[in-house]
C-alpha cells in the first residue's frame, strides 16, 4: 500500500519532486566538497610545509663576498645556541629583462628571479603531479607554477636566459611548487635547472654580484634566535615560517570565499527544502484527514512522507557525492596549483558528508511533518479551514488604492502573508549579497584604495624596473644614491618624449629593531625625494627628524612598542635610538615594516629591495591621456610592465582576477538557484490556490492577468531584496573581509571599492529578472485550471 501511495505521489508531483531532488543534490555536492576543502585548506598548508621540509626561519642574501659565501654564513649561524641546524642553497638572482621568449619578457613578474641547480635543493620542490623534482635534464627548466601558469607557458616552450653577455636557451619542463617563494603574494619565480647548465653560467666573468644564498635555519626558539642573529651582509629578506604562511593568504582567501559561498548555498537549499515540505503538508490536508478518519496514526502518516523524502534524499545524495569530487577539485584549483594539497581519506569524508546531508534532510522532514499531528478528519470536510478569522486578511483597501489591479493583488498577497514571502525575500537577498561581496572584493583588490598599504603614494604611472636597477640590491653603500640617479635618468627620457614628470622610488632596508627584550628584523621604507608626511598613518604624527621612525601596527606589537617609545635600530652598522612617532598599516612583509624620515642617514646601508619607479606627470593629465602615455611608454621602454595605480594594486595582490572569475561562476549559480526557487514555490502556490484561480477565471479574469499578478509577487520580493542587499552590502563586505585584510596587515580595516553601477543596478537587475522570468514561465500551469475547477480541491 505504501509503495502504491508513493508511486502515485511521485507521478502526480513530478516537477516539485524533481526540484527537491535538484536541491538535495546541490546540498550534498556543496556540503561534501566544502567540508573536504575546509579540511584540505586547514591542514593542507601545514602538511605542505612538512612535506617540503620547511625550516623555522629563512634568510635570503645577494651580492659578492659574505652574501654568497656559504662557509662564512655557516660559521656565523652554526655556533648560535638557539640554532639546531642550518641548510643553504646557492642561487643566482635576476630580473625579468634577463629572461625572454620570442623577444618579449618570459614572465611579467617584477620580483627577483631565483635560478638554482637541481642538486642544490634543500627543500622538496614538487611538479604538477606532486612528485619531488630530483633532477632536471640539461637544457630544461622547471618554473614556479603560479608565474608559469599566469604567463600561459606550455611544456616545451623555449626561452632565453641572458645573465650577462652570453645567451642560454632552455626548454620549459613544467611547473614546480615552491613552498617558500611560490605563493602569489611572495611572487619570486624559481627556476630549477641542471647542475651542468648552472656550472656553465657560473663560469661567466662578472657573475659574482648576482650570486646569493637562501638560508634555512631550524630552531626551537624563534625569539631567542632573532635576539642572537648576527647581521649578514647583503640580506634581502628575513622571515619566520609564520610569516611565509601569511603569504599564502591570497590563495587561502580564494578558497575561503568559495567555502563561504558554499555554506550560503547549502543554507538556501535547506531553507527551500523545508519550505517545500511544509507547503506539501498544507496542500494535502484532505488526504491526511481521510487517513486519520480510517484509523491511521500520526506516526504512520508521517512515515509515508519520511519514506518519500528519504528515497529522494538518497538518490540526490548519491548524485551529489559523484559531482562533489570534480566540483571540489575545481574550487581548490587556484590553491592546489601552488601547493601540494593531496588529502587523505577524502572520499570517506565525502561519504560521511553525504550521509550527514541525508540525516539533516530527514531531521528537517521529521520536524516539518509535526504539523500532521494538528490535522484532524474534520479538516478534510472543511477544506482545511476552520471558518474562523478574527482579523483582516490584508493591509490594502481596494477602494482607496490607485494601483493597477494586478499590482494591487500582488502587493496585497505579499503583505497578507509576510512570513511566507519573507523567506523568498531572504533567499533573494542572500543570493545578491554573495555576488556583491565577491564583486566588492575583486574591485577593491584592483583599486587605488589599497595603494597606501604598499607604502606608495598614489601617482600617475608605475614602471617596474629601469636600466637594471636590480644591480643596486646588495650594493655596498650608495645604493640609495644610485636609485636617485636612475630616477633622474628616467625623468630625462620622459622629458625628451614630451612627458615631463617627477620620478621617485621607495627603497627598502632590512634592519634589526629592538625594544626592551623584544627584537625583530623588519624592512624599513624610505624615499629621500619625498616627505614622510606625504603618506597615510593610522595614528600619531609622521617622522620628521633623523631619529624618528614610524612602525606598522604589527611591527610595533611584535616588539611591544607604541607611540612615544624609544626603540633601537641598527643603521649604517651602528645601533641608534629612534622615537616612534606614528603607527600605520601595511601589506609589506605581511604587515611588519617601518618608515624612516627622509632625513635619516642610510648611506652605508645595503638596499634590500625597492618598489616600482613612481612617475608623477607635471601637467596633471586626464585618465584618458594617462592611458595613452602608458602605451607610448611601453613602446619606448619595450616592456608591458608600465601600469596605472589600479593595475599596480591588482598585480601586487594577485587575487582580483581569480575572485572575479569566482564571482562570474556564482552569478550563474545564483541565477539557476533563483529560477529553481521561483519554479518550485510558484508551482506550489498554483497548486494550493487552484480554487482561487478557478474562481478568478469564472468571474472573467484572463489567464494573462493572473500570470502577471503572480509574477509581480516574486518581483516585489526581489525588489525588496535588492534594496536590503544594496543597503547592507558595505557592512556585510566589511564583516566578512576585514578579518582577512587584517591578517595581512590592514588591522584597522580598510575602505572597500563599491562600483555603483554594478552593485545598485546590474546585479539586482539580474536576480530580479531571473525571479520574474522563472515565475512567469511557471505560470504556464495556470492554463490547465478551468473555471469549472472552482469547487474542485483536487
Amino acid at each position: 500500500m505504501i509503495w502504491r501511495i508513493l508511486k502515485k505521489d511521485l507521478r502526480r508531483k513530478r516537477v516539485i519532486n524533481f526540484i527537491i531532488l535538484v536541491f538535495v543534490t546541490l546540498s550534498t555536492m556543496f556540503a561534501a566538497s566544502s567540508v573536504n576543502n575546509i579540511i584540505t585548506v586547514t591542514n593542507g598548508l601545514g602538511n605542505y610545509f612538512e612535506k617540503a621540509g620547511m625550516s623555522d626561519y629563512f634568510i635570503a642574501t645577494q651580492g659578492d663576498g659574505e652574501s654568497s659565501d656559504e662557509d662564512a654564513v655557516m660559521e656565523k649561524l652554526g655556533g648560535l645556541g638557539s640554532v639546531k641546524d642550518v641548510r643553504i642553497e646557492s642561487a643566482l638572482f635576476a630580473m625579468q629583462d634577463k629572461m625572454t621568449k620570442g623577444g618579449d619578457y618570459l614572465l611579467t613578474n617584477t620580483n627577483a628571479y631565483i635560478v638554482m641547480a637541481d642538486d642544490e635543493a634543500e627543500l622538496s620542490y614538487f611538479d604538477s603531479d606532486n612528485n619531488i623534482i630530483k633532477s632536471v635534464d640539461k637544457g630544461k627548466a622547471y618554473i614556479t607554477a603560479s608565474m608559469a601558469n599566469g604567463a600561459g607557458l606550455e611544456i616545451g616552450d623555449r626561452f632565453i636566459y641572458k645573465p650577462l653577455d652570453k645567451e642560454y636557451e632552455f626548454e620549459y619542463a613544467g611547473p614546480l611548487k615552491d613552498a617558500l617563494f611560490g605563493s602569489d603574494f611572495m611572487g619570486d619565480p624559481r627556476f630549477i635547472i641542471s647542475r651542468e647548465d648552472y656550472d656553465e653560467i657560473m663560469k661567466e666573468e662578472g657573475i659574482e654580484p648576482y650570486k646569493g644564498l637562501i638560508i634555512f635555519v631550524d630552531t626551537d626558539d624563534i625569539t631567542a634566535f632573532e635576539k642572537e642573529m648576527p647581521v649578514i651582509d647583503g640580506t634581502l629578506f628575513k622571515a619566520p615560517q609564520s610569516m611565509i604562511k601569511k603569504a599564502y593568504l591570497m590563495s587561502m582567501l580564494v578558497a575561503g570565499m568559495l567555502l563561504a559561498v558554499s555554506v550560503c548555498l547549502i543554507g538556501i537549499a535547506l531553507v527551500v527544502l523545508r519550505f517545500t515540505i511544509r507547503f506539501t503538508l498544507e496542500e494535502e490536508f484532505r488526504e491526511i484527514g481521510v487517513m486519520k478518519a480510517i484509523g491511521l496514526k500520526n506516526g504512520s502518516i508521517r512515515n509515508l512522507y519520511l519514506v518519500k523524502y528519504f528515497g529522494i534524499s538518497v538518490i540526490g545524495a548519491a548524485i551529489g557525492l559523484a559531482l562533489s569530487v570534480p566540483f571540489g577539485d575545481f574550487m581548490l584549483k587556484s590553491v592546489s596549483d601552488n601547493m601540494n594539497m593531496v588529502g587523505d581519506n577524502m572520499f570517506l569524508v565525502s561519504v560521511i558528508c553525504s550521509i550527514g546531508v541525508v540525516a539533516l534532510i530527514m531531521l528537517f522532514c521529521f520536524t516539518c511533518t509535526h504539523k500532521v499531528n494538528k490535522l484532524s478528519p474534520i479538516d478534510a470536510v472543511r477544506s482545511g479551514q476552520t471558518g474562523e478569522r478574527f482579523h483582516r486578511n490584508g493591509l490594502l483597501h481596494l477602494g482607496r488604492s490607485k494601483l493597477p489591479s494586478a499590482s494591487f493583488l500582488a502587493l496585497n498577497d505579499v503583505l497578507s502573508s509576510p512570513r511566507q514571502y519573507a523567506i523568498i525575500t531572504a533567499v533573494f537577498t542572500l543570493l545578491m549579497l554573495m555576488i556583491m561581496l565577491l564583486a566588492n572584493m575583486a574591485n577593491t583588490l584592483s583599486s587605488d584604495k589599497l595603494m597606501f598599504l604598499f607604502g606608495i603614494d598614489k601617482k600617475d604611472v608605475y614602471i617596474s624596473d629601469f636600466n637594471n636597477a636590480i644591480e643596486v640590491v646588495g650594493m655596498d653603500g650608495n645604493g640609495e644614491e644610485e636609485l636617485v640617479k636612475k630616477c633622474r635618468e628616467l625623468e630625462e627620457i620622459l622629458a625628451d618624449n614630451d612627458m615631463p614628470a617627477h620620478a621617485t622610488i621607495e627603497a627598502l632596508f632590512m634592519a634589526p629593531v629592538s625594544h626592551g627584550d623584544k627584537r625583530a628584523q623588519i624592512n624599513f621604507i624610505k624615499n629621500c625625494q619625498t616627505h614622510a608626511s606625504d603618506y597615510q598613518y593610522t595614528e600619531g604624527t609622521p617622522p620628521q627628524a633623523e631619529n624618528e621612525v614610524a612602525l606598522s601596527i604589527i611591527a610595533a606589537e611584535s616588539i611591544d612598542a607604541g607611540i612615544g617609545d624609544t626603540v633601537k635600530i641598527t643603521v649604517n652598522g651602528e645601533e641608534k635610538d629612534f622615537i616612534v612617532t606614528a603607527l600605520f598599516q601595511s601589506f609589506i612583509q605581511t604587515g611588519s615594516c617601518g618608515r624612516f624620515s627622509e632625513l635619516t642617514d642610510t648611506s652605508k646601508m645595503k638596499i634590500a629591495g625597492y618598489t616600482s619607479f613612481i612617475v608623477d606627470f607635471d601637467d596633471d593629465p586626464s585618465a584618458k591621456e594617462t592611458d595613452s602615455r602608458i602605451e607610448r611608454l611601453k613602446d619606448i621602454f619595450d616592456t608591458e610592465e608600465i601600469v596605472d595605480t589600479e593595475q599596480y594594486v591588482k598585480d601586487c595582490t594577485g587575487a582580483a582576477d581569480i575572485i572575479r572569475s569566482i564571482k562570474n561562476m556564482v552569478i550563474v549559480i545564483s541565477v539557476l538557484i533563483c529560477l529553481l526557487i521561483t519554479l518550485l514555490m510558484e508551482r506550489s502556490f498554483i497548486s494550493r490556490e487552484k480554487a482561487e484561480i478557478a474562481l478568478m477565471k469564472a468571474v472573467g479574469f484572463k489567464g494573462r492577468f493572473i500570470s502577471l499578478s503572480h509574477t509581480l509577487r516574486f518581483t516585489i520580493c526581489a525588489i525588496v531584496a535588492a534594496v536590503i542587499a544594496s543597503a547592507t552590502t558595505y557592512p556585510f563586505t566589511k564583516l566578512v573581509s576585514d578579518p582577512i585584510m587584517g591578517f595581512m596587515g590592514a588591522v584597522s580595516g580598510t575602505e572597500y571599492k563599491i562600483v555603483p553601477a554594478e552593485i545598485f543596478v546590474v546585479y539586482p537587475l539580474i536576480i530580479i529578472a531571473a525571479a520574474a522570468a522563472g515565475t512567469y514561465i511557471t505560470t504556464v500551469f495556470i492554463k490547465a485550471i478551468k473555471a469549472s475547477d472552482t469547487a474542485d480541491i483536487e
Side-chain angles (χ1 to χ4, degrees):
M1 183 184 72
I2 292 178
W3 172 246
R4 285 199 302 271
I5 294 173
L6 288 174
K7 189 175 180 181
K8 180 180 178 182
D9 182 84
L10 290 172
R11 253 192 224 143
R12 187 164 58 93
K13 298 181 177 179
R14 288 189 298 269
V15 175
I16 292 178
N17 291 329
F18 174 75
I19 294 174
I20 293 174
L21 177 66
V22 170
F23 274 109
V24 173
T25 301
L26 287 175
S27 298
T28 306
M29 183 179 74
F30 279 107
S33 59
S34 295
V35 173
N36 263 335
N37 290 353
I38 289 172
I39 294 173
T40 304
V41 170
T42 303
N43 301 325
L45 191 56
N47 292 337
Y48 176 42
F49 276 24
E50 184 177 347
K51 291 175 183 177
M54 291 282 277
S55 62
D56 302 304
Y57 205 91
F58 307 90
I59 305 170
T61 65
Q62 181 192 345
D64 200 2
E66 183 184 69
S67 303
S68 55
D69 188 338
E70 292 188 37
D71 293 334
V73 171
M74 188 67 75
E75 183 178 349
K76 274 192 171 185
L77 297 177
L80 300 179
S82 58
V83 174
K84 293 171 56 181
D85 186 31
V86 178
R87 295 170 286 155
I88 300 176
E89 293 177 345
S90 293
L92 288 173
F93 290 84
M95 289 300 287
Q96 65 173 358
D97 61 328
K98 304 297 183 181
M99 305 278 189
T100 58
K101 176 177 175 285
D104 298 323
Y105 292 145
L106 175 66
L107 306 177
T108 58
N109 189 280
T110 59
N111 290 357
Y113 294 9
I114 302 166
V115 182
M116 60 174 281
D118 50 11
D119 59 359
E120 281 285 342
E122 291 295 338
L123 297 184
S124 293
Y125 302 101
F126 304 92
D127 61 19
S128 58
D129 296 322
N130 293 322
N131 298 314
I132 297 176
I133 300 172
K134 296 182 179 179
S135 63
V136 182
D137 295 337
K138 178 176 171 55
K140 294 189 176 183
Y142 283 89
I143 306 175
T144 302
S146 58
M147 291 70 179
N149 294 341
L153 288 180
E154 299 287 344
I155 294 176
D157 286 351
R158 307 191 73 82
F159 65 93
I160 300 297
Y161 173 35
K162 187 179 180 182
L164 293 169
D165 298 325
K166 187 177 178 181
E167 293 184 349
Y168 302 86
E169 186 177 44
F170 288 94
E171 179 184 327
Y172 176 50
L176 72 87
K177 299 179 182 181
D178 176 7
L180 179 56
F181 293 119
S183 67
D184 290 329
F185 206 75
M186 293 290 287
D188 293 280
R190 189 188 294 267
F191 292 70
I192 298 182
I193 61 178
S194 69
R195 165 54 67 180
E196 189 176 352
D197 287 327
Y198 187 83
D199 286 344
E200 186 176 349
I201 295 170
M202 291 298 295
K203 292 176 183 178
E204 282 205 59
E205 186 177 351
I207 198 70
E208 287 75 16
Y210 300 99
K211 293 165 60 178
L213 303 175
I214 302 172
I215 306 161
F216 306 89
V217 180
D218 292 318
T219 176
D220 290 329
D221 191 338
I222 294 291
T223 303
F225 172 70
E226 288 185 331
K227 288 182 179 179
E228 297 178 345
M229 183 169 46
V231 175
I232 300 176
D233 288 345
T235 296
L236 305 177
F237 174 78
K238 295 180 182 180
Q241 186 183 118
S242 59
M243 186 177 293
I244 304 301
K245 286 184 176 180
K246 284 186 178 182
Y248 282 88
L249 182 67
M250 288 303 170
S251 295
M252 306 291 276
L253 169 64
V254 174
M257 287 290 177
L258 284 169
L259 294 176
V261 168
S262 298
V263 171
C264 291
L265 292 177
I266 292 170
I268 291 173
L270 291 177
V271 167
V272 172
L273 181 63
R274 180 178 181 274
F275 175 85
T276 305
I277 295 171
R278 293 180 67 88
F279 223 60
T280 301
L281 292 178
E282 291 175 4
E283 183 186 14
E284 297 181 349
F285 62 88
R286 186 176 185 182
E287 289 88 340
I288 295 171
V290 170
M291 284 189 285
K292 285 197 173 185
I294 63 175
L296 290 179
K297 302 295 184 182
N298 289 330
S300 299
I301 299 172
R302 294 175 75 176
N303 284 338
L304 287 173
Y305 292 99
L306 292 178
V307 170
K308 168 188 170 182
Y309 289 112
F310 178 74
I312 293 175
S313 63
V314 168
I315 295 172
I319 299 172
L321 175 62
L323 294 176
S324 69
V325 176
F327 184 71
D329 291 342
F330 170 76
M331 289 173 65
L332 277 182
K333 187 178 186 305
S334 61
V335 181
S336 60
D337 281 348
N338 294 343
M339 299 167 58
N340 183 342
M341 297 188 70
V342 178
D344 299 323
N345 300 319
M346 290 297 102
F347 182 74
L348 177 61
V349 172
S350 296
V351 172
I352 294 173
C353 291
S354 301
I355 295 173
V357 170
V358 173
L360 184 60
I361 291 172
M362 297 313 297
L363 178 62
F364 261 67
C365 291
F366 183 78
T367 303
C368 296
T369 56
H370 181 72
K371 190 174 182 180
V372 169
N373 299 342
K374 299 179 180 180
L375 297 175
S376 64
I378 198 66
D379 290 310
V381 178
R382 293 177 174 175
S383 300
Q385 303 294 327
T386 63
E388 298 176 343
R389 188 171 74 221
F390 301 102
H391 57 83
R392 274 193 5 224
N393 194 34
L395 300 177
L396 301 181
H397 296 274
L398 181 60
R400 302 175 188 172
S401 175
K402 296 182 180 180
L403 293 173
S405 300
S407 300
F408 174 84
L409 286 175
L411 184 58
N412 190 63
D413 285 345
V414 172
L415 296 177
S416 299
S417 303
R419 185 174 179 182
Q420 178 174 278
Y421 289 98
I423 295 174
I424 301 172
T425 303
V427 171
F428 289 159
T429 302
L430 193 54
L431 289 174
M432 291 185 199
L433 281 175
M434 285 193 303
I435 299 171
M436 291 174 178
L437 168 66
L438 294 170
N440 291 338
M441 281 300 296
N443 291 331
T444 301
L445 291 173
S446 59
S447 78
D448 56 14
K449 293 185 181 297
L450 297 185
M451 200 68 192
F452 73 99
L453 293 170
F454 297 98
I456 297 178
D457 196 18
K458 179 182 174 182
K459 298 298 180 184
D460 294 316
V461 173
Y462 304 87
I463 301 176
S464 61
D465 196 31
F466 172 72
N467 197 18
N468 292 324
I470 185 66
E471 295 175 355
V472 306
V473 175
M475 181 184 294
D476 288 326
N478 298 322
E480 188 176 13
E481 182 179 338
E482 289 298 318
L483 285 178
V484 173
K485 287 181 181 178
K486 292 183 183 297
C487 287
R488 300 291 82 80
E489 293 174 17
L490 177 58
E491 289 175 352
E492 290 178 8
I493 295 175
L494 293 172
D496 291 341
N497 287 274
D498 299 323
M499 292 180 283
H502 180 57
T504 65
I505 192 168
E506 304 285 340
L508 302 177
F509 303 91
M510 178 68 70
V513 55
S514 62
H515 178 242
D517 61 347
K518 297 294 182 70
R519 183 180 176 89
Q521 297 274 351
I522 67 174
N523 268 321
F524 285 90
I525 319 163
K526 182 191 171 188
N527 190 333
C528 61
Q529 304 174 78
T530 64
H531 300 287
S533 57
D534 295 338
Y535 305 88
Q536 294 186 31
Y537 300 90
T538 304
E539 55 181 302
T541 57
Q544 299 177 14
E546 181 180 358
N547 66 334
E548 294 182 347
V549 70
L551 295 178
S552 70
I553 296 173
I554 292 178
E557 290 176 350
S558 68
I559 58 173
D560 289 340
I563 294 176
D565 289 338
T566 298
V567 298
K568 295 184 180 295
I569 304 175
T570 301
V571 178
N572 295 330
E574 180 183 352
E575 190 174 70
K576 298 181 180 180
D577 289 338
F578 283 79
I579 300 173
V580 179
T581 64
L583 300 177
F584 63 95
Q585 304 179 93
S586 179
F587 277 171
I588 295 177
Q589 204 173 357
T590 61
S592 182
C593 61
R595 176 173 288 279
F596 285 134
S597 162
E598 65 275 9
L599 299 179
T600 302
D601 180 16
T602 53
S603 58
K604 297 180 181 179
M605 295 183 71
K606 291 187 176 182
I607 299 286
Y610 55 85
T611 64
S612 294
F613 286 85
I614 306 160
V615 176
D616 187 23
F617 293 117
D618 294 343
D619 55 351
D620 193 22
S622 65
K624 184 177 180 180
E625 175 62 21
T626 300
D627 292 339
S628 175
R629 292 183 181 184
I630 288 175
E631 295 305 315
R632 288 176 58 197
L633 290 172
K634 288 179 180 179
D635 293 334
I636 293 171
F637 294 107
D638 191 23
T639 178
E640 291 296 316
E641 295 307 305
I642 301 177
V643 297
D644 59 10
T645 303
E646 293 190 354
Q647 186 63 42
Y648 183 85
V649 174
K650 180 180 175 181
D651 292 342
C652 289
T653 57
D657 286 340
I658 299 174
I659 293 180
R660 194 166 281 114
S661 298
I662 296 171
K663 177 201 69 179
N664 294 335
M665 179 193 72
V666 170
I667 290 175
V668 175
I669 292 176
S670 297
V671 169
L672 292 176
I673 292 290
C674 187
L675 290 173
L676 284 173
I677 289 171
T678 53
L679 175 61
L680 173 65
M681 294 187 173
E682 175 58 17
R683 184 68 184 90
S684 299
F685 289 160
I686 292 172
S687 179
R688 188 180 69 171
E689 299 171 8
K690 183 177 180 181
E692 289 88 337
I693 294 171
L695 179 61
M696 292 180 70
K697 286 191 173 185
V699 298
F701 286 101
K702 300 295 183 182
R704 290 193 300 274
F705 174 86
I706 301 172
S707 296
L708 177 60
S709 66
H710 280 230
T711 301
L712 287 174
R713 293 192 299 195
F714 282 85
T715 304
I716 290 170
C717 292
I719 292 173
V720 173
V723 173
I724 296 172
S726 298
T728 58
T729 180
Y730 194 80
F732 182 73
T733 300
K734 287 189 69 67
L735 177 67
V736 175
S737 305
D738 269 2
I740 300 173
M741 302 296 279
F743 188 71
M744 283 304 300
V747 294
S748 296
T750 187
E751 185 180 355
Y752 296 92
K753 182 177 181 179
I754 305 293
V755 179
E758 289 185 12
I759 301 303
F760 304 126
V761 180
V762 177
Y763 302 134
L765 283 179
I766 289 174
I767 299 301
I768 292 172
T775 309
Y776 190 78
I777 292 171
T778 310
T779 58
V780 70
F781 291 103
I782 291 176
K783 294 180 180 179
I785 301 175
K786 303 179 181 63
S788 59
D789 294 327
T790 304
D792 184 6
I793 62 172
E794 287 292 324

